[in-house]
Amino acid sequence: MLKTATWPVYGSDDSGAQGRMHPLVPLNHRLRAIGHPLIAVMAYAQFGAERPGAVFWIALLATAFVWPQLAYLVSSRSPDGKSAELRNLLIDSFLAGAWVAEIHFGLFPAAVIAGAMTTACLSVGGPALFRRAFASVVVGAVLVGLSTRFEVSLGSSVVASGICLVCLFLFMSVFGLNSYVQTRRVIRARKEVAEQHAMIGDQVRIIERALQAALDANEDAKAANASKSAFLANMSHELRTPLNAILGYSEILTEDARAAGQAGLVADLGKIATAGHHLLDLINEILDLSKLEAGKTRLHFDTFNIALAVDDVVTTVRPLVERNRNRLEVVCPPRIGLMREDVTKVRQVLLNLLSNAGKFTTEGVVTLEAERATADGEEFVVFRVRDTGIGIPEETQARLFEPFVQADGGTQRKYGGTGLGLAITRKLCQLMGGDVTLESEPGRGSTFTVRLPVIETEDLEASAVKPQMRRGGSGVMRALTGPLKLPLALVVDDDPVERELMERVCEREGFAVVACGEGQEALRLAAERSPHVIILDIVMKGMDGWQVLEALKADPALARIPVVVVSVLDERDRGLSMGARAYFVKPVSHERLALLFSRLRSGRAS
């Protein structure tokens, strides 16, 4: 019995790493390994007692046993297995035509050989491959027919006809069995995805209800603004935890579906991921606003190059602006100099304004200007975001920076959004000692002007610019030193769904995994197993992540183990100050985790 699963799998994906074999390769190998010997049997049966010579036997054996293995070897080692296999099918068709001529165009055997070959090509490559296969059959028949002088013997013996019928039945059975197996696999995959989709749909509806409850609570609690903000801030864990599962499993399922060649499923899963990211953006906006209103947002000052920060913002926002066929123009002197401010907040302000401008402008121009200015003896950096979009009515401009306010109901229905972006932008500007103003005219576009103080320091030399600030100063990936051997990851999270998700991510990136859901157990496993990295959640029952991290760093035997915090709590500074090597806020993309794990394995600092 042929078992193609035991053959080595070759081929490369887009990244150059070892990839999965295209499913067409093993399928055609199974058919070829049975079909070509059948062609040989039919050819021998047609000749019967004529006792053909050595050339005939060499060609017969090569077609039956050598060519199927050679075709598999070529396709399995090719970077593009599908294209290689389609070429092999044309060679199959040529051989079929050659044997049709070699058996003197015996009507029944010829019909079986040529019909089976062209039918197979039609099933895997459609009409285009069918036409090319038919042409290959003709070419093979003509070339070999020249050597046989096109001798024609349409009849066939009863024995030959019987063998042809058996061969035809076997070929159809093999092809039908493979089709049945593939169909069952597709049905099973669709069923699994449907179940996951239903589960994710339930979680999405739970989140939607939670968000709606949060918005309703916000309306009812305007008189008690502090209580509303505290409530929304406390919702972070409850909202981000299921959302992290939605986005994480959608990425895993997308990778599996893409590897299986299920393009339709990839598209459906992409819609789930898009919806999840939309919900994440909404959650982030609500939580940002609640923290600002509750006075819990802190500034982290650093000296940075203004031109580099503008360049980073432009690189990030350009695809959003150009989505509506807009042109993005930037006016920023390369020697505009340095400023001391919270660069992450500055980037957030500019990203909010530029994405807003691109959203409400179609086939127009969005411009970002940056310059220095002085007023009342104080130096400012002025950013202007201009657009040629729909503009804003004068009666709406006065309240546009209030939470949940948009230009009008029609704007909200057409463009979507929550009306939180500009409210957050103004509060951030005011928190940094500046402000944002608006000038607009309906139908002629809008101009948002941001003024932020430079905040002079003792030394504003270019050397003061920290490299990590050139990419937003997130500090997510710090130095992860020391070569890692036989990498083992310890995953600590009290949520079984989150724990399983992180286990699968670690395993996909080449780590062995041990996991637990309790702080004391984590410390015991760390002491016994000496993992190469610890993935640690913060919000846990009993001994929380902060206590675990503190205990790890207090133990000389465990202090050198890199700890990567993955939590719904946005307390990156606290985690890094306590010794964590990296800090991620859920949900975190697999791409960022994959980059981190790659650097862990190679021992390189980020």
Side-chain angles (χ1 to χ4, degrees), residues 118-152:
T118 53
T119 299
C121 292
L122 178 63
S123 67
V124 300
L129 185 62
F130 172 82
R131 289 191 293 268
R132 294 164 64 189
F134 184 82
S136 298
V137 171
V138 173
V139 171
V142 170
L143 291 180
V144 176
L146 291 174
S147 66
T148 63
R149 299 181 180 181
F150 292 99
E151 183 176 350
V152 177

Side-chain angles (χ1 to χ4, degrees), residues 526-569:
E528 292 179 357
R529 304 293 296 274
S530 297
H532 292 79
V533 63
I534 299 175
I535 314 298
L536 178 63
D537 187 25
I538 295 298
V539 182
M540 296 189 296
K541 297 177 182 178
M543 189 177 190
D544 65 19
W546 299 126
Q547 295 171 307
V548 173
L549 181 58
E550 184 178 9
L552 288 170
K553 297 307 172 183
D555 188 335
L558 305 178
R560 296 178 63 86
I561 301 175
V563 178
V564 178
V565 176
V566 181
S567 175
V568 296
L569 296 181

